[in-house]
Amino acid sequence: MSYEDNIKKVTPYVPGEQPAGDVIKLNTNESPFPPSMHVAMAIASIDYDSLRLYPDPDATVLVQAIADYYKVDEEQVFVGVGSDDVLAMAFQTFFNSDKPILFPDTTYSFYKVWAALYDIPYEEIPLKDDFTIDTLDYQKENGGVIFANPNAPTGVELPLNEVEEIIKANPDSVVIVDEAYIDFGNASALSLVDKYENLLVVRTFSKSRALAGMRVGYAIGSAKLIKALKDVKFSTNSYTLNLAAIRAGVAALGDDEYFDTIVSQIKDTREDTRRKLEQMGFECLKSSTNFLFVKHGDVPAKDIFEKLREKDIYVRYFDLPRIDEYLRITIGNNEQMNSLMLALEEIVGN
Ligand code: PMP
């Protein structure tokens, strides 16, 4: 027996590379645009002396702003340090059964990491060949359900009526819908939170509100679920969001005009990029996100990934079963996408 026997052994999640220097970074689904100017002003106006003090443990102004924005009660809102923090808390809070939790075999790879970390049994349910969810697969005994909608890294969105089928079929489990990318898609499950007490919708400011560096995430659900999440949070760390993150979140929510502009710009660029990639011999899954999941007819994804990297263009390649022929390309600004297209034309020879 050694102390090493008592050390937790886990295989951590590996985020996309964060290369230093002047590169074209299309590998972690960040926004190519800066956050709203309201955010810059909110941060600049922080009173230096106030940094002596702990931030509000309830992040009240941010919770209020989110509740107002989505027309829910404050008791229905939970905030965290990015949606990763919210999701990690949700795994701890809601997935405590001996039965396995269910999630798709191709999805956000952090789900498996949290399940292992918290000793939660899980079953990965294969997506259909076209990378869509078969809702019937989620109509069996389980200890909870989680899926990303739109899904990552595929970008595919499950229609809301099918999301509801899954929630409806699981009244005895908490169903978590991870909507990190929904602002680039169609129908949010937020419209269902008042109908289903067991539904938790998790969202982030990292993508559509261009605040990945500030780490602001939230969940909306029934007051009962939110109370349970808060109890776990306050058993872990009272002061999760820092003062700047709280202020930045409020400011970002207050600038809808800018939000609409950058989201529609990203969606337009996504569709334009998709058309160009298809002309170059790529097959692209239909995306409801700020990225495209693509595969070329002739040139292996890994080769394209490596050749782009040599040109300082970073996209994401997953050496995983089912998706090792695909690349995930974050939608950048026009200049970045033009450089990407020129590089790809050289690599795939069109
Ligand atoms: N869910 C999904 C599906 C994601 O792709 C990401 C981004 N890596 C997250 C959650 C977490 O994002 P954040 O912690 O920045 O809110």
Coordinates of all heavy atoms in Angstrom, one line a residue, residues 81-163:
V81 N -18.8 29.4 -13.8 CA -17.6 29.9 -14.5 C -17.5 29.2 -15.9 O -16.8 28.2 -16.0 CB -16.3 29.5 -13.6 CG1 -15.1 30.1 -14.2 CG2 -16.5 30.1 -12.2
G82 N -18.2 29.7 -16.8 CA -18.4 29.0 -18.1 C -19.3 27.9 -17.9 O -19.7 27.5 -16.8
S83 N -19.9 27.4 -19.1 CA -20.8 26.3 -18.9 C -20.1 25.0 -18.5 O -20.8 24.1 -18.0 CB -21.7 26.1 -20.2 OG -20.9 25.9 -21.3
D84 N -18.8 24.9 -18.7 CA -18.1 23.7 -18.2 C -18.3 23.6 -16.6 O -18.5 22.5 -16.1 CB -16.6 23.8 -18.5 CG -16.3 23.4 -19.9 OD1 -17.1 22.7 -20.5 OD2 -15.2 23.7 -20.4
D85 N -18.2 24.7 -15.9 CA -18.4 24.7 -14.5 C -19.9 24.3 -14.2 O -20.1 23.5 -13.3 CB -18.1 26.1 -14.0 CG -18.2 26.2 -12.5 OD1 -17.8 25.3 -11.7 OD2 -18.8 27.3 -12.0
V86 N -20.8 24.9 -14.9 CA -22.2 24.6 -14.7 C -22.5 23.1 -14.9 O -23.2 22.4 -14.1 CB -23.1 25.5 -15.6 CG1 -24.6 25.1 -15.4 CG2 -22.9 27.0 -15.3
L87 N -21.9 22.6 -16.0 CA -22.1 21.2 -16.3 C -21.5 20.3 -15.3 O -22.1 19.2 -14.9 CB -21.6 20.9 -17.7 CG -22.4 21.4 -18.9 CD1 -21.6 21.4 -20.2 CD2 -23.7 20.6 -19.1
A88 N -20.3 20.6 -14.9 CA -19.6 19.8 -13.9 C -20.5 19.7 -12.6 O -20.7 18.6 -12.0 CB -18.2 20.3 -13.6
M89 N -21.0 20.9 -12.2 CA -21.9 20.9 -11.0 C -23.2 20.1 -11.2 O -23.7 19.4 -10.3 CB -22.3 22.3 -10.7 CG -21.2 23.3 -10.3 SD -21.1 23.3 -8.6 CE -19.5 24.2 -8.5
A90 N -23.7 20.2 -12.4 CA -24.9 19.5 -12.8 C -24.7 17.9 -12.7 O -25.5 17.2 -12.2 CB -25.4 19.9 -14.1
F91 N -23.5 17.5 -13.2 CA -23.2 16.1 -13.1 C -23.2 15.6 -11.7 O -23.8 14.6 -11.3 CB -21.9 15.8 -13.8 CG -22.0 15.4 -15.2 CD1 -22.4 16.3 -16.2 CD2 -21.5 14.2 -15.7 CE1 -22.5 16.0 -17.5 CE2 -21.6 13.8 -17.0 CZ -22.1 14.7 -18.0
Q92 N -22.6 16.4 -10.8 CA -22.5 16.1 -9.4 C -23.8 16.1 -8.7 O -24.1 15.3 -7.9 CB -21.6 17.1 -8.7 CG -20.2 16.9 -8.7 CD -19.4 17.9 -7.9 OE1 -19.3 19.0 -8.3 NE2 -19.1 17.5 -6.7
T93 N -24.7 17.1 -9.1 CA -26.0 17.3 -8.5 C -27.0 16.3 -8.9 O -27.8 15.8 -8.0 CB -26.5 18.7 -8.8 OG1 -25.4 19.6 -8.5 CG2 -27.7 19.0 -7.9
F94 N -27.1 16.0 -10.2 CA -28.2 15.2 -10.7 C -28.0 13.8 -11.1 O -28.9 13.0 -11.3 CB -28.8 16.0 -11.9 CG -29.2 17.4 -11.6 CD1 -28.6 18.5 -12.2 CD2 -30.1 17.6 -10.6 CE1 -29.0 19.8 -11.9 CE2 -30.5 18.9 -10.2 CZ -29.9 20.0 -10.9
F95 N -26.7 13.4 -11.2 CA -26.4 12.1 -11.7 C -25.9 11.2 -10.6 O -24.7 11.0 -10.5 CB -25.5 12.1 -12.9 CG -26.1 12.8 -14.1 CD1 -25.2 13.3 -15.1 CD2 -27.4 13.0 -14.3 CE1 -25.8 14.0 -16.3 CE2 -28.0 13.6 -15.4 CZ -27.1 14.1 -16.4
N96 N -26.8 10.8 -9.7 CA -26.3 10.0 -8.5 C -27.0 8.6 -8.4 O -27.2 8.1 -7.3 CB -26.6 10.8 -7.3 CG -25.7 12.0 -7.2 OD1 -24.5 11.9 -7.1 ND2 -26.3 13.2 -7.3
S97 N -27.4 8.1 -9.6 CA -28.1 6.8 -9.6 C -27.1 5.7 -9.9 O -26.0 5.9 -10.4 CB -29.1 6.9 -10.7 OG -29.6 5.6 -11.1
D98 N -27.5 4.5 -9.6 CA -26.6 3.3 -10.0 C -26.9 3.0 -11.4 O -26.1 2.2 -12.0 CB -27.0 2.1 -9.1 CG -26.7 2.3 -7.7 OD1 -25.8 3.1 -7.4 OD2 -27.4 1.7 -6.8
K99 N -27.9 3.5 -12.0 CA -28.2 3.2 -13.4 C -27.4 4.1 -14.2 O -27.1 5.3 -13.8 CB -29.7 3.5 -13.7 CG -30.6 2.5 -13.0 CD -32.1 2.9 -13.3 CE -33.0 2.5 -12.2 NZ -34.2 3.4 -12.1
P100 N -27.0 3.7 -15.4 CA -26.1 4.6 -16.3 C -26.8 5.8 -16.8 O -28.0 5.8 -17.1 CB -25.7 3.6 -17.4 CG -26.8 2.6 -17.5 CD -27.3 2.4 -16.1
I101 N -26.1 6.9 -16.8 CA -26.6 8.1 -17.6 C -26.4 7.8 -19.1 O -25.5 7.0 -19.4 CB -25.9 9.4 -17.1 CG1 -24.4 9.4 -17.4 CG2 -26.2 9.6 -15.7 CD1 -23.8 10.8 -17.4
L102 N -27.2 8.4 -19.9 CA -27.1 8.2 -21.3 C -26.7 9.5 -22.0 O -27.1 10.6 -21.7 CB -28.5 7.8 -21.9 CG -29.3 6.7 -21.2 CD1 -30.7 6.5 -21.9 CD2 -28.5 5.4 -21.2
F103 N -25.8 9.3 -23.0 CA -25.4 10.4 -23.9 C -24.9 9.8 -25.2 O -24.5 8.7 -25.2 CB -24.5 11.4 -23.3 CG -23.2 10.9 -22.6 CD1 -22.1 10.6 -23.4 CD2 -23.1 10.7 -21.3 CE1 -20.9 10.1 -22.8 CE2 -21.9 10.2 -20.7 CZ -20.8 9.9 -21.5
P104 N -24.9 10.6 -26.3 CA -24.5 10.1 -27.6 C -23.0 9.7 -27.6 O -22.2 10.2 -26.9 CB -24.8 11.3 -28.5 CG -25.7 12.2 -27.8 CD -25.4 12.0 -26.4
D105 N -22.7 8.7 -28.5 CA -21.3 8.3 -28.6 C -20.4 9.3 -29.2 O -19.2 9.4 -29.0 CB -21.2 7.0 -29.4 CG -21.6 7.1 -30.9 OD1 -22.4 8.1 -31.2 OD2 -21.3 6.2 -31.7
T106 N -21.0 10.2 -30.0 CA -20.3 11.3 -30.6 C -20.9 12.6 -30.1 O -22.0 13.0 -30.5 CB -20.3 11.2 -32.2 OG1 -19.8 10.0 -32.6 CG2 -19.5 12.4 -32.8
T107 N -20.1 13.2 -29.2 CA -20.6 14.4 -28.5 C -19.5 15.1 -27.8 O -18.3 14.8 -28.0 CB -21.8 14.2 -27.6 OG1 -22.4 15.4 -27.2 CG2 -21.4 13.4 -26.3
Y108 N -19.8 16.1 -27.0 CA -18.8 16.9 -26.3 C -18.0 15.9 -25.4 O -18.6 15.2 -24.5 CB -19.5 17.9 -25.4 CG -18.6 18.9 -24.8 CD1 -17.4 19.3 -25.3 CD2 -19.0 19.5 -23.6 CE1 -16.6 20.2 -24.7 CE2 -18.2 20.5 -22.9 CZ -17.0 20.8 -23.5 OH -16.2 21.7 -22.9
S109 N -16.7 15.7 -25.6 CA -16.0 14.7 -24.9 C -15.8 14.9 -23.4 O -15.4 14.0 -22.7 CB -14.7 14.4 -25.6 OG -14.0 15.6 -25.9
F110 N -16.2 16.1 -22.9 CA -16.1 16.3 -21.5 C -17.1 15.5 -20.7 O -16.9 15.2 -19.5 CB -16.3 17.8 -21.2 CG -15.3 18.4 -20.2 CD1 -14.8 19.7 -20.4 CD2 -14.9 17.7 -19.1 CE1 -13.9 20.2 -19.5 CE2 -14.0 18.3 -18.2 CZ -13.5 19.5 -18.4
Y111 N -18.2 15.1 -21.3 CA -19.3 14.3 -20.6 C -18.7 13.0 -20.0 O -18.9 12.7 -18.8 CB -20.5 14.0 -21.5 CG -21.2 15.1 -22.1 CD1 -22.0 14.9 -23.2 CD2 -21.1 16.4 -21.6 CE1 -22.7 16.0 -23.8 CE2 -21.7 17.5 -22.2 CZ -22.5 17.3 -23.3 OH -23.2 18.3 -23.9
K112 N -17.9 12.4 -20.8 CA -17.2 11.1 -20.4 C -16.2 11.4 -19.2 O -16.1 10.6 -18.3 CB -16.5 10.5 -21.5 CG -17.0 9.2 -21.9 CD -16.3 8.4 -23.0 CE -15.2 8.7 -23.8 NZ -15.1 7.7 -24.9
V113 N -15.6 12.5 -19.3 CA -14.5 12.8 -18.3 C -15.2 13.1 -16.9 O -14.8 12.6 -15.9 CB -13.7 14.1 -18.8 CG1 -12.8 14.5 -17.7 CG2 -13.0 13.7 -20.1
W114 N -16.3 13.9 -17.0 CA -17.0 14.1 -15.7 C -17.6 12.9 -15.1 O -17.6 12.6 -13.9 CB -18.1 15.2 -15.9 CG -17.6 16.6 -16.1 CD1 -16.6 17.2 -15.3 CD2 -18.0 17.5 -17.1 NE1 -16.4 18.5 -15.8 CE2 -17.3 18.7 -16.9 CE3 -18.9 17.5 -18.1 CZ2 -17.4 19.8 -17.7 CZ3 -19.1 18.6 -18.9 CH2 -18.3 19.7 -18.7
A115 N -18.2 12.0 -16.0 CA -18.8 10.8 -15.5 C -17.7 9.9 -14.8 O -17.9 9.4 -13.7 CB -19.4 10.0 -16.7
A116 N -16.5 9.9 -15.4 CA -15.4 9.1 -14.8 C -15.0 9.8 -13.5 O -14.8 9.1 -12.5 CB -14.2 9.0 -15.8
L117 N -14.8 11.1 -13.5 CA -14.4 11.8 -12.3 C -15.3 11.6 -11.1 O -14.8 11.4 -10.0 CB -14.3 13.3 -12.6 CG -13.9 14.3 -11.5 CD1 -12.4 14.0 -11.0 CD2 -14.0 15.7 -11.9
Y118 N -16.6 11.6 -11.4 CA -17.6 11.5 -10.3 C -18.1 10.1 -10.1 O -19.1 9.9 -9.5 CB -18.7 12.5 -10.5 CG -18.3 13.9 -10.6 CD1 -18.6 14.8 -11.7 CD2 -17.5 14.5 -9.6 CE1 -18.2 16.1 -11.7 CE2 -17.1 15.8 -9.6 CZ -17.4 16.6 -10.7 OH -17.0 17.9 -10.8
D119 N -17.4 9.1 -10.7 CA -17.8 7.7 -10.7 C -19.3 7.5 -11.0 O -20.1 6.8 -10.3 CB -17.6 7.1 -9.2 CG -16.1 7.1 -8.9 OD1 -15.3 6.8 -9.8 OD2 -15.8 7.5 -7.8
I120 N -19.7 8.1 -12.1 CA -21.1 8.0 -12.6 C -21.1 6.9 -13.7 O -20.4 7.1 -14.7 CB -21.6 9.3 -13.2 CG1 -21.6 10.4 -12.1 CG2 -23.0 9.1 -13.8 CD1 -21.7 11.8 -12.6
P121 N -21.9 5.8 -13.6 CA -21.9 4.9 -14.7 C -22.6 5.5 -15.9 O -23.5 6.4 -15.8 CB -22.8 3.7 -14.2 CG -23.6 4.3 -13.0 CD -22.8 5.5 -12.5
Y122 N -22.1 5.2 -17.1 CA -22.7 5.9 -18.3 C -22.7 4.9 -19.5 O -22.0 3.9 -19.5 CB -21.9 7.1 -18.7 CG -20.4 6.9 -19.1 CD1 -20.1 6.6 -20.4 CD2 -19.4 6.9 -18.1 CE1 -18.8 6.4 -20.8 CE2 -18.1 6.7 -18.5 CZ -17.8 6.4 -19.9 OH -16.5 6.2 -20.2
E123 N -23.6 5.2 -20.4 CA -23.7 4.4 -21.6 C -23.7 5.4 -22.8 O -24.5 6.4 -22.8 CB -25.1 3.6 -21.6 CG -25.2 2.7 -22.8 CD -26.5 1.9 -22.8 OE1 -27.1 1.7 -21.7 OE2 -27.0 1.6 -23.9
E124 N -22.9 5.1 -23.7 CA -22.8 6.0 -24.9 C -23.7 5.4 -26.0 O -23.5 4.2 -26.4 CB -21.4 6.1 -25.4 CG -20.4 6.8 -24.5 CD -19.0 6.7 -24.9 OE1 -18.4 5.7 -24.6 OE2 -18.5 7.6 -25.6
I125 N -24.7 6.2 -26.4 CA -25.7 5.7 -27.4 C -25.2 6.1 -28.8 O -25.1 7.3 -29.0 CB -27.0 6.3 -27.1 CG1 -27.4 6.2 -25.6 CG2 -28.1 5.7 -28.0 CD1 -28.2 5.0 -25.2
P126 N -25.0 5.1 -29.7 CA -24.6 5.5 -31.0 C -25.6 6.4 -31.7 O -26.8 6.2 -31.7 CB -24.4 4.2 -31.8 CG -24.3 3.1 -30.7 CD -25.1 3.7 -29.5
L127 N -25.0 7.5 -32.3 CA -25.9 8.3 -33.2 C -26.2 7.5 -34.4 O -25.4 6.5 -34.7 CB -25.1 9.6 -33.6 CG -24.9 10.6 -32.5 CD1 -24.0 11.7 -33.0 CD2 -26.2 11.2 -32.0
K128 N -27.2 7.9 -35.2 CA -27.5 7.2 -36.5 C -26.3 7.5 -37.4 O -25.5 8.4 -37.2 CB -28.8 7.7 -37.0 CG -30.0 7.2 -36.2 CD -31.3 7.5 -36.9 CE -31.9 8.8 -36.6 NZ -33.2 9.1 -37.0
D129 N -26.3 6.8 -38.6 CA -25.2 7.0 -39.5 C -25.1 8.5 -40.0 O -24.0 8.9 -40.3 CB -25.4 6.1 -40.8 CG -25.1 4.6 -40.4 OD1 -24.5 4.4 -39.3 OD2 -25.5 3.8 -41.2
D130 N -26.2 9.2 -40.0 CA -26.1 10.6 -40.4 C -25.9 11.5 -39.3 O -26.1 12.7 -39.4 CB -27.4 11.0 -41.1 CG -28.7 10.9 -40.2 OD1 -28.5 10.5 -39.0 OD2 -29.8 11.3 -40.7
F131 N -25.4 10.9 -38.1 CA -25.1 11.7 -36.9 C -26.3 12.4 -36.3 O -26.1 13.4 -35.6 CB -24.0 12.8 -37.2 CG -22.6 12.2 -37.5 CD1 -22.1 12.3 -38.8 CD2 -21.9 11.5 -36.5 CE1 -20.8 11.7 -39.1 CE2 -20.7 10.9 -36.8 CZ -20.1 11.1 -38.1
T132 N -27.5 11.9 -36.5 CA -28.6 12.4 -35.8 C -29.0 11.5 -34.6 O -28.6 10.3 -34.6 CB -29.9 12.6 -36.7 OG1 -30.2 11.3 -37.3 CG2 -29.6 13.6 -37.8
I133 N -29.7 12.0 -33.6 CA -30.1 11.2 -32.5 C -31.4 10.4 -32.9 O -32.3 11.0 -33.5 CB -30.4 12.1 -31.3 CG1 -29.1 12.6 -30.6 CG2 -31.3 11.5 -30.3 CD1 -29.3 13.5 -29.5
D134 N -31.5 9.2 -32.4 CA -32.7 8.4 -32.5 C -33.4 8.5 -31.1 O -32.9 8.0 -30.2 CB -32.5 7.0 -32.9 CG -33.8 6.2 -33.1 OD1 -34.8 6.7 -32.6 OD2 -33.7 5.1 -33.8
T135 N -34.5 9.3 -31.1 CA -35.0 9.6 -29.7 C -35.5 8.3 -29.0 O -35.5 8.2 -27.8 CB -36.2 10.5 -29.8 OG1 -37.2 9.9 -30.7 CG2 -35.8 11.9 -30.4
L136 N -35.8 7.2 -29.8 CA -36.3 6.0 -29.2 C -35.2 5.4 -28.3 O -35.4 4.7 -27.3 CB -36.7 5.0 -30.3 CG -37.9 5.3 -31.1 CD1 -38.2 4.3 -32.2 CD2 -39.1 5.4 -30.1
D137 N -33.9 5.6 -28.7 CA -32.8 5.1 -27.9 C -32.7 5.7 -26.5 O -32.0 5.1 -25.6 CB -31.4 5.5 -28.6 CG -31.2 4.8 -29.9 OD1 -31.9 3.7 -30.1 OD2 -30.4 5.2 -30.7
Y138 N -33.5 6.7 -26.2 CA -33.4 7.4 -24.9 C -34.7 7.1 -24.1 O -35.0 7.7 -23.1 CB -33.2 8.9 -25.1 CG -31.8 9.2 -25.6 CD1 -31.6 9.1 -27.0 CD2 -30.8 9.5 -24.8 CE1 -30.3 9.3 -27.5 CE2 -29.5 9.7 -25.3 CZ -29.3 9.6 -26.7 OH -28.0 9.8 -27.2
Q139 N -35.4 6.0 -24.5 CA -36.6 5.7 -23.8 C -36.4 4.4 -23.1 O -37.1 3.4 -23.3 CB -37.7 5.6 -24.8 CG -37.8 6.8 -25.8 CD -39.1 7.1 -26.3 OE1 -40.1 6.4 -26.1 NE2 -39.2 8.2 -27.0
K140 N -35.3 4.3 -22.3 CA -35.1 3.1 -21.5 C -34.6 3.6 -20.1 O -34.2 4.8 -20.0 CB -34.1 2.2 -22.2 CG -32.7 2.9 -22.4 CD -31.8 1.9 -23.0 CE -30.5 2.4 -23.5 NZ -29.7 1.5 -24.2
E141 N -34.5 2.6 -19.2 CA -34.1 3.0 -17.9 C -32.7 3.7 -17.9 O -31.8 3.3 -18.6 CB -34.0 1.7 -17.0 CG -35.3 1.4 -16.3 CD -35.0 0.7 -15.0 OE1 -34.3 -0.4 -15.1 OE2 -35.4 1.1 -13.9
N142 N -32.6 4.7 -17.1 CA -31.3 5.4 -17.0 C -31.3 6.2 -15.7 O -32.2 6.4 -15.0 CB -31.2 6.3 -18.2 CG -32.2 7.4 -18.2 OD1 -32.2 8.3 -17.4 ND2 -33.1 7.3 -19.2
G143 N -30.0 6.7 -15.4 CA -29.8 7.5 -14.2 C -29.8 9.0 -14.6 O -29.4 9.8 -13.7
G144 N -30.1 9.3 -15.8 CA -30.0 10.7 -16.3 C -29.7 10.7 -17.8 O -29.3 9.7 -18.3
V145 N -30.0 11.9 -18.4 CA -29.7 12.0 -19.8 C -29.1 13.4 -20.0 O -29.4 14.4 -19.4 CB -31.1 12.0 -20.6 CG1 -30.8 12.3 -22.1 CG2 -31.8 10.6 -20.4
I146 N -28.0 13.4 -20.9 CA -27.5 14.7 -21.3 C -27.1 14.6 -22.8 O -26.6 13.6 -23.3 CB -26.2 15.0 -20.5 CG1 -25.6 16.4 -21.0 CG2 -25.2 13.9 -20.4 CD1 -24.7 17.1 -20.1
F147 N -27.5 15.6 -23.5 CA -27.0 15.8 -24.9 C -26.9 17.2 -25.2 O -27.5 18.1 -24.6 CB -28.0 15.1 -25.9 CG -29.4 15.5 -25.8 CD1 -29.9 16.5 -26.7 CD2 -30.3 15.0 -24.9 CE1 -31.2 16.9 -26.7 CE2 -31.6 15.4 -24.8 CZ -32.1 16.4 -25.7
A148 N -26.0 17.5 -26.2 CA -25.7 18.8 -26.6 C -26.6 19.1 -27.8 O -26.7 18.2 -28.7 CB -24.3 19.0 -27.0
N149 N -27.3 20.2 -27.8 CA -28.2 20.5 -28.9 C -28.1 22.0 -29.3 O -28.5 22.8 -28.4 CB -29.6 20.2 -28.7 CG -30.4 20.1 -29.9 OD1 -30.0 19.6 -30.9 ND2 -31.6 20.7 -29.9
P150 N -27.5 22.4 -30.4 CA -26.9 21.5 -31.4 C -25.7 20.7 -30.9 O -25.1 21.1 -29.9 CB -26.4 22.5 -32.5 CG -27.1 23.8 -32.2 CD -27.4 23.8 -30.8
N151 N -25.5 19.6 -31.5 CA -24.4 18.7 -31.0 C -23.1 19.2 -31.4 O -22.9 20.0 -32.4 CB -24.7 17.3 -31.5 CG -23.9 16.2 -30.8 OD1 -23.3 16.5 -29.7 ND2 -23.9 15.0 -31.3
A152 N -22.1 18.8 -30.6 CA -20.7 19.1 -31.0 C -19.9 17.8 -31.0 O -20.3 17.0 -30.1 CB -20.1 20.0 -29.9
P153 N -19.0 17.5 -31.8 CA -18.5 18.4 -32.9 C -19.2 18.4 -34.2 O -18.7 18.9 -35.2 CB -17.1 17.9 -33.0 CG -17.2 16.4 -32.9 CD -18.3 16.2 -31.8
T154 N -20.4 17.8 -34.2 CA -21.1 17.6 -35.5 C -21.8 18.9 -36.0 O -21.9 19.0 -37.2 CB -22.1 16.5 -35.5 OG1 -23.1 16.8 -34.5 CG2 -21.5 15.1 -35.1
G155 N -22.3 19.7 -35.1 CA -23.1 20.9 -35.5 C -24.5 20.6 -35.8 O -25.3 21.5 -36.1
V156 N -24.9 19.3 -35.7 CA -26.3 18.9 -36.0 C -27.3 19.2 -34.9 O -27.0 18.9 -33.8 CB -26.3 17.4 -36.4 CG1 -27.7 16.9 -36.6 CG2 -25.4 17.1 -37.5
E157 N -28.4 19.8 -35.3 CA -29.5 20.2 -34.3 C -30.6 19.2 -34.4 O -31.1 18.8 -35.4 CB -30.0 21.6 -34.6 CG -31.0 22.1 -33.6 CD -31.4 23.5 -33.8 OE1 -30.8 24.2 -34.6 OE2 -32.5 23.9 -33.2
L158 N -31.1 18.8 -33.2 CA -32.3 17.9 -33.1 C -33.5 18.9 -33.0 O -33.5 19.8 -32.2 CB -32.1 17.1 -31.8 CG -33.2 16.0 -31.6 CD1 -33.1 14.9 -32.6 CD2 -33.0 15.5 -30.1
P159 N -34.5 18.6 -33.8 CA -35.7 19.5 -33.8 C -36.3 19.5 -32.4 O -36.3 18.5 -31.7 CB -36.6 18.9 -34.8 CG -35.8 18.0 -35.6 CD -34.7 17.6 -34.8
L160 N -36.9 20.6 -32.0 CA -37.5 20.8 -30.7 C -38.5 19.7 -30.3 O -38.5 19.2 -29.1 CB -38.1 22.2 -30.5 CG -38.5 22.5 -29.1 CD1 -37.3 22.5 -28.1 CD2 -39.1 23.9 -29.1
N161 N -39.3 19.3 -31.3 CA -40.3 18.2 -30.9 C -39.6 16.9 -30.5 O -40.1 16.2 -29.6 CB -41.3 18.0 -32.1 CG -40.7 17.5 -33.3 OD1 -39.6 18.0 -33.7 ND2 -41.3 16.5 -33.9
E162 N -38.5 16.7 -31.1 CA -37.8 15.4 -30.7 C -37.0 15.6 -29.4 O -36.9 14.7 -28.6 CB -36.8 15.0 -31.8 CG -37.6 14.7 -33.1 CD -36.7 14.1 -34.2 OE1 -35.8 13.2 -33.9 OE2 -36.8 14.5 -35.3
V163 N -36.6 16.8 -29.1 CA -36.0 17.1 -27.8 C -37.0 16.9 -26.7 O -36.8 16.2 -25.7 CB -35.5 18.6 -27.7 CG1 -35.1 19.0 -26.3 CG2 -34.3 18.8 -28.7

